[in-house]
């Protein structure tokens, strides 16, 4: 495509250029030659003027010389006295004394001879400036010549050569004419050259012609144009332009001034100009071709696009399958396309018009077809309720063929008896202009099929005026499916109704809009009934749930009843559902379980105490034995009668002390064994340890074990049930003692350490036993796991339960070398207040 | 001989002090220690008296103390006090050489009688011990041949048989026998036999056979 444009552009450009070249060259040549002629004429005139000026300069020079005082002085004292009349003084290569210094006048003129004449016109002195001698004819100058030459420069042929003369009388000091100065210059090529400072065209020659045959008398270049050459013989080589002299009035020969320009020269210039012109034209043509090609490319691109658009437009709108734009002349193609398009548009318009007409004519049939094709049952009746139209959907729905029902009364045909009257009355009242509301209403009616079966339907009756007649159209829609769906929704609703847990729905005003059967106990607990407002406590929560849009869980409790409620807000519908669950039983079981656990802890404590009974007995035995010893000692001393009173008091004090000690032990024992509700109080951790160790000391001694305490110096407090924590510590000590049964007696040690971490208090009970086996580490806190032959496996699990109930931790670290290290961590109590629960 | 001392070793201070109070009421010298180690430091074999020991103590236990004392050949009588129903421990104590054991709280008279008995036994033992020491030192002066002769004599072997067994003449046996009598400072054969029995050279059965 661009190639083609390029080619067309090129050819066009070349053609235009070729024509232009011919025409322009011709006209240019004519213009040039005209112009050249003009220029030559001007040059000739200019040459003549220069020549004239040169000549005038000669005349002026001679005037100047004549006016010179030198010559005036010279002639005043009669220089030629004593000379003969024909005796001429020649000055050659030297300057006469009457002549001003050379520098003054050399630039003004280049005469051949300057002659000094006496008053009679006889040549007396000859200053020869050029090399040529003075022609003999000029030794005696006649009066006429002098007169003529005084007026202006004068040209004359002297012995076949043209000469220029200019004269001026010379006055003496006294003002008397003493003689004449005559300037004689030969009009040779040197003179001509001098006259012409430069010529307008190189190679041009100026010449003086003489006579009718136009013979060359002198030329500026004798090499090019010799003397005596006839002008006619050179006219084919030169372009000659001439002008006659009229001012130098010589009658004997007709002088003519011509300028010759060589024709070759003109031709060269002409060619140069044409060449330049042609080059410019080529450049211009190239630029034109390029621009043209570019424009062609752009235009053809545009046309192509336009063509494509036309094609696609026609394809889209008219469904025409036009020839695709291939190659070829786009413009022609465009024209074709537009032609085709126009035709097609016209045809299509025609077709549409026909189609429309057809449609109009078939409108009625079409309506009937629609009626037939309608899925809904459409029946038209006249004012008597007789069937005018019965579409195929109606045939299908009711099982009657159309032919069978035409003109029969609709009411009796498909409507149940109880509706027939309503229908008739509706029509009648409409016709009587007292509509009763049948028209346009959606009515649910049980309709009857041909075979006697029935189905629920939605019936709409609308009146229509057809000419004078009022007809009624009944739209009957089978709503069996809708009924089923409604039923299904109803059944779904039963989910909530029959839910064994309470399900309620409340509106934004906290009114109970729905409550299922199972919510009865909940409502009675609240003292509310369905339709009433929620109790304030619940209402507040429902409000917040509705505001946040997030489900809220809540427990509602009263007496021994407790309900767990999930309030699920439906913000966009402005109500909330409450799903309840009766958790009274669960809570009761949980409470029971807690009690059972307490019981278990207690029983376990009892068992621990049982195991420690021997130790406790020993513990109690000590003070009792001491009391006995003191008492007996006193008795013996009293029997002897040698007892000082103060010593006696001392002994009695000891007895009291020991009795109190025994009482203390009993109290501790009671506290440990007593069954009571767990209490929490602030206790010093060291106190717990000391108490526990006291109970287990005997046991430890019995086993030959020592218990070393490393207790923290500060009074660290924990808020615990002291008895329970003691139970744990005792249990750990007992475990340690049991574990060390395999250890050598002398190496049985228990180290108990208390220390604090940032906000916790920790107890470490470490023994020198064999440690806990790897298997044991995993399971040591599991119930019924034991490594002791007679163990129950309940001590550690219960201990762990107790510690965890105190928000603490119980764990074990074990090392074969270092034995087992049980750690208890409890939250540190910093309140100082002795608040009891 | 120095005055006998009752050593009370018990880690319970009240117990120690009350025992001292009771024992001193009958005029006996009493010394209390809170541990076996403390007692061993204060005791040396020459001291007379008895020990009242709580069988359960931290550190060196009562039984271990007994072992230590018998190793030192210090047969100081030990009375063991036990807690309630700690019978197996008491049996072990008796087997280890305790003279008596009492259950706490104990009857004061019983305790004091026990102490008295132990002190007597100690005194007797101490005397017995000095006799044995004498006999042993005498016996150490005998030559091996004389020792052989002594052994055969106290077993009731006639001189002739001794001579035959040793391969010497009866006369030589008689000379040895006279030297033995002299060195052992025995006045009669019966004296010599009794000495031999004291140091355990001759057992009762052997005596009966002899």
């Amino acid at each position: 495509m661009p190639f083609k444009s390029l080619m067309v552009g090129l050819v066009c450009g070349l053609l235009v250029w070729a024509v232009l070249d011919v025409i322009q060259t011709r006209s240019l040549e004519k213009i040039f030659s005209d112009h050249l002629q003009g220029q030559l004429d001007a040059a000739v005139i200019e040459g003549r003027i220069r020549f004239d000026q040169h000549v005038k300069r000669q005349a002026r020079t001679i005037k100047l010389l004549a006016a010179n005082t030198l010559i005036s002085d010279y002639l005043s004292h009669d220089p030629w006295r004593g000379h003969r009349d024909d005796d001429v003084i020649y000055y050659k290569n030297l300057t006469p004394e009457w002549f001003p210094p050379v520098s003054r006048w050399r630039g003004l003129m280049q005469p051949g001879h300057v002659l000094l004449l006496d008053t009679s016109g006889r040549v007396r002195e000859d200053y020869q400036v050029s090399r040529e001698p003075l022609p003999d004819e000029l030794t005696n100058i006649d009066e006429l010549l002098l007169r003529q030459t005084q007026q202006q420069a004068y040209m004359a042929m002297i012995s076949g050569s043209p000469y220029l003369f200019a004269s001026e009388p010379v006055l003496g000091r006294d003002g008397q004419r003493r003689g004449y100065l005559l300037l004689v210059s030969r009009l040779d090529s040197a003179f001509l050259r001098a006259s012409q400072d430069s010529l307008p065209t190189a190679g041009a020659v100026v010449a003086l012609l003489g006579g009718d045959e136009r013979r060359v008398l002198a030329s500026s270049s004798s090499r090019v144009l010799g003397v005596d050459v006839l002008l006619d013989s050179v006219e084919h080589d030169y372009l000659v332009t001439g002008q006659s002299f009229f001012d130098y009035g010589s009658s004997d020969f007709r002088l003519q001034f011509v300028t010759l320009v060589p024709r070759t020269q003109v031709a060269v210039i002409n060619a140069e100009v044409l060449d330049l012109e042609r080059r410019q034209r080529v450049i211009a043509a190239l630029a034109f071709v390029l621009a043209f090609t570019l424009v062609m490319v752009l235009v053809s691109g545009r046309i192509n696009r336009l063509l494509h658009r036309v094609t696609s437009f026609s394809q889209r709108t008219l469904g025409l399958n036009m020839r695709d734009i291939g190659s070829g002349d786009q413009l022609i193609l465009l024209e074709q396309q537009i032609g085709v398009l126009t035709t097609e548009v016209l045809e299509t318009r025609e077709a549409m018009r026909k189609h429309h007409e057809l449609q109009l004519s078939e409108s009625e049939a079409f309506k009937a077809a629609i009626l037939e094709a309608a899925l809904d049952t459409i029946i038209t009746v006249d004012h008597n309720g007789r069937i005018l139209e019965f579409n195929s959907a109606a045939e299908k729905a009711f099982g009657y063929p159309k032919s069978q029902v035409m003109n029969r009364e609709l009411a009796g045909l498909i409507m149940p008896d109880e509706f027939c009257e309503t229908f008739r009355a509706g029509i009648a009242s409409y016709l009587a202009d007292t509509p009763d509301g049948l028209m346009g209403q959606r009515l649910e009616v049980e309709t009857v099929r041909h075979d006697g079966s029935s189905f629920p339907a939605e019936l709409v009756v609308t009146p229509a005026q057809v000419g004078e007649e009022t007809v009624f159209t009944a739209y009957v829609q089978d709503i069996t499916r809708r009924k089923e769906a409604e039923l299904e929704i109803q059944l779904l609703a039963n989910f909530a109704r029959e839910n064994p847990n309470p399900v309620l729905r409340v509106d934004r005003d906290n009114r109970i809009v729905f409550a299922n059967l199972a919510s009865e106990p909940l409502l009675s607990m609240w003292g509310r009934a369905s339709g009433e407002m929620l109790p304030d406590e619940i209402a507040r929560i429902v409000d917040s749930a509705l505001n946040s849009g997030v489900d809220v869980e809540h427990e509602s409790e009263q007496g021994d009843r407790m309900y767990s409620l999930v309030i699920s807000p439906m913000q966009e519908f402005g109500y909330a559902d409450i799903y309840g669950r009766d958790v009274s039983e669960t809570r009761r079981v949980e409470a029971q379980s807690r009690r059972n656990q307490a019981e278990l802890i207690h029983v376990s404590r009892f068992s621990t105490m049982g195991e420690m009974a021997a130790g406790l007995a020993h513990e109690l035995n000590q003070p009792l034995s001491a009391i006995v010893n003191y008492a007996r000692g006193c008795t013996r001393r009293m029997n002897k009668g040698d007892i000082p009173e103060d010593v006696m008091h001392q002994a009695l004090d000891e007895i009291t002390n020991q009795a109190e000690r025994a009482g203390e032990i009993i109290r501790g024992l009671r506290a440990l064994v007593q069954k009571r509700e767990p209490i929490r109080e602030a206790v010093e951790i060291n106190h717990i340890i000391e108490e526990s160790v006291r109970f287990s000391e005997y046991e430890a001694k019995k086993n030959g074990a020592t218990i070393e305490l490393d207790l923290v110096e500060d009074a660290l407090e924990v808020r615990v049930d002291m008895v329970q924590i003691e139970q744990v510590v005792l249990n750990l000590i007992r475990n340690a003692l049991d574990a060390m049964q395999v250890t050598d007696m002398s190496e049985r040690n228990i180290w108990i350490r208390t220390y604090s971490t940032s906000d916790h208090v920790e107890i470490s009970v470490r023994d020198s036993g064999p440690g806990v086996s790897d298997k044991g580490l995993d399971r040591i806190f599991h119930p019924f796991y034991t490594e002791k032959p007679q163990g129950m496996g309940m001590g550690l699990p219960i201990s762990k339960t107790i510690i965890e109930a105190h928000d603490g931790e119980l764990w074990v670290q074990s090392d074969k070398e270092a034995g087992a290290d049980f750690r208890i961590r409890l939250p540190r109590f910093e309140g100082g207040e002795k608040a009891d629960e | 001989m120095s005055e006998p001392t009752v050593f009370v070793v018990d880690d319970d201070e009240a117990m120690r002090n009350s025992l001292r109070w009771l024992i001193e009421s009958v005029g006996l010298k009493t010394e209390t220690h809170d541990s076996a180690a403390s007692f061993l430091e204060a005791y040396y074999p020459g001291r007379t008296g008895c020990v009242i020991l709580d069988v359960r103590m931290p550190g060196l236990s009562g039984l271990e103390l007994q072992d230590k004392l018998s190793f030192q050949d210090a047969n100081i009588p030990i009375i063991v006090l036990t807690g309630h129903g700690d019978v197996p421990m008491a049996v072990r104590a008796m087997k280890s050489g305790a003279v008596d054991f009492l259950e706490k709280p104990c009857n004061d008279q019983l305790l004091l009688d026990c102490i008295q008995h132990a002190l007597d036994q100690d005194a007797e033992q101490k005397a017995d011990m000095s006799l044995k020491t004498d006999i042993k030192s005498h016996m150490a002066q005998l030559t091996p041949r004389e020792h052989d002769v002594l052994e055969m004599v106290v077993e009731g072997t006639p001189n002739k048989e001794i001579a035959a067994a040793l391969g010497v003449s009866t006369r030589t046996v008689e000379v040895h026998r006279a030297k033995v009598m002299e060195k052992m400072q025995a006045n009669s054969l019966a004296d010599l036999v009794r000495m031999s029995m004291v140091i355990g050279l001759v057992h009762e059965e052997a005596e009966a056979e002899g």
Side-chain angles (χ1 to χ4, degrees), chain A residues 415-448:
Chain A
M415 289 171 188
D417 294 342
E418 62 273 18
F419 188 71
C420 284
E421 279 316 307
T422 317
F423 184 69
R424 286 179 190 129
I427 290 177
S429 60
Y430 178 80
L431 290 173
D433 252 358
T434 53
D436 63 350
L438 173 76
M439 295 301 149
Q441 291 297 311
R442 286 176 186 273
L443 303 166
E444 282 189 16
V445 182
E446 196 73 12
T447 52
V448 187

Side-chain angles (χ1 to χ4, degrees), chain A residues 617-618 621-637 640 643 647-648 651 654 658 661 698 701-706 745-746, chain B residues 10-15 17-22 24-27 54 56-59 64 82-84 86 89 92 104-109 111-112:
Chain A
H618 173 84
N621 224 357
Q622 296 289 98
L624 292 180
S625 300
I627 289 168
V628 170
N629 290 343
Y630 277 120
R632 288 298 176 187
C634 289
T635 312
R636 283 178 184 279
R637 280 178 171 78
K640 281 194 213 163
I643 176 163
V647 177
M648 188 66 185
E654 280 297 327
Q658 292 308 308
R661 179 182 165 194
Y698 177 78
K701 264 190 231 164
K702 190 169 140 189
N703 282 290
T706 57
M745 271 263 195
S746 60
Chain B
D10 196 317
D11 61 327
D12 190 308
E13 192 192 3
M15 207 57 209
N17 292 342
S18 68
L19 281 171
R20 182 208 281 269
W21 174 260
L22 180 63
E24 281 180 349
S25 72
V26 293
D54 188 335
R56 284 213 176 127
M57 276 188 301
E64 283 169 318
T82 75
H84 174 75
D86 213 354
M89 189 68 84
R92 274 169 61 196
K104 287 192 285 189
C106 49
N107 183 287
D108 61 325
Q109 193 56 56
L111 176 66
L112 293 172

Side-chain angles (χ1 to χ4, degrees), chain A residues 503-506 566-570 575-579:
Chain A
V503 177
L504 301 106
R505 177 167 292 178
V506 294
V566 175
I567 292 124
S568 176
M570 309 293 270
Y575 62 76
D577 289 339
I578 301 175
Y579 304 98

Side-chain angles (χ1 to χ4, degrees), chain A residues 12 312 324 330 344 428 481 486 588 627 666 734 824:
Chain A
C12 288
S312 61
D324 194 20
Q330 269 80 15
E344 290 292 342
R481 230 168 239 275
E486 278 174 5
R588 199 183 60 72
I627 289 168
I666 300 282
R734 276 199 50 79
I824 298 167

